[in-house]
Amino acid sequence: MSAVDKSGFFERVYDVAAKIPEGRVTSYGAIAKYLGAAKSARMVGWAMNASKNRDDVPAHRVVNRNGILTGKSHFGGSNAMQQLLEAEGVQIHELKILNFDAIFWDPIIELNS
DNA sequence: CCTCTGACCGACA
DNA sequence: ATGTCGGCCAGAG
C-alpha cells in the first residue's frame, strides 16, 4: 500500500485529502476518524495549514462537520475557498455548503469499499 | 527543555 | 437547546 511511509500524522492527512474527488467535500473529523484519531480533528485542520506546502492537498475541499468553511479565513484572507468550491459545482451560501449532505465524501466509506 | 496554541469534535450539565 | 471542557499531535517561542 502506498502512503503511510512517513510515520507522521500529517502525511496520512495529505494522502486522504489528496484523494478527495472534485466537487466533493469532507470534514476534519471524518479524516481524523479514518486515521483512527477522531479526537485529533484539530490536528487535521492544522495539517491543512502545513498543506500549503503541498500542491496536491485541496484544503478548500475540507470543512468542519457543520459544512461551514471554517478555514476560509486561512485561505489568503479572501473568500477564495468558497470561490474554488463553487467553481467545482459546490453550492455555498455564506460559507455554508447547502447540499453538504449530498456531496459529503467520507474516506471511511469511499476508501473502504 | 518546557509551555502554549491551533482550520475540530463529542460529551456533559 | 446552549454553553463549557477535555482530548489528541505537532510545531514555534
Side-chain angles (χ1 to χ4, degrees), chain A residues 69 72 79-87 92-95:
Chain A
L69 285 55
K72 173 256 182 183
N79 50 331
M81 189 173 184
Q82 181 174 337
Q83 298 296 306
L84 288 167
L85 287 169
E86 289 181 324
I92 305 174
H93 173 67
E94 296 297 304
L95 305 180

Side-chain angles (χ1 to χ4, degrees), chain A residues 8-26:
Chain A
F9 192 84
F10 288 23
E11 296 297 325
R12 298 180 223 178
V13 176
Y14 301 145
D15 187 56
V16 177
K19 287 169 184 159
I20 302 175
E22 207 171 88
R24 296 280 184 161
V25 286
T26 187

Side-chain angles (χ1 to χ4, degrees), chain A residues 21-37:
Chain A
E22 207 171 88
R24 296 280 184 161
V25 286
T26 187
S27 61
Y28 304 97
I31 299 175
K33 192 172 184 179
Y34 172 73
L35 298 176

Side-chain angles (χ1 to χ4, degrees), chain A residues 20-86:
Chain A
I20 302 175
E22 207 171 88
R24 296 280 184 161
V25 286
T26 187
S27 61
Y28 304 97
I31 299 175
K33 192 172 184 179
Y34 172 73
L35 298 176
K39 296 176 181 179
S40 306
R42 294 208 289 167
M43 280 54 267
V44 178
W46 194 10
M48 290 284 110
N49 193 11
S51 76
K52 291 175 182 175
N53 296 321
R54 324 291 178 184
D55 296 335
D56 297 58
V57 182
H60 61 274
R61 289 182 196 152
V62 185
V63 297
N64 69 343
R65 90 155 218 85
N66 271 324
I68 303 173
L69 285 55
T70 52
K72 173 256 182 183
S73 301
H74 278 269
F75 240 83
S78 300
N79 50 331
M81 189 173 184
Q82 181 174 337
Q83 298 296 306
L84 288 167
L85 287 169
E86 289 181 324

Side-chain angles (χ1 to χ4, degrees), chain A residues 89-107:
Chain A
V90 180
Q91 297 179 315
I92 305 174
H93 173 67
E94 296 297 304
L95 305 180
K96 173 61 169 26
I97 298 176
L98 304 178
N99 49 349
F100 177 64
D101 177 62
I103 65 174
F104 182 69
W105 184 83
D106 191 343

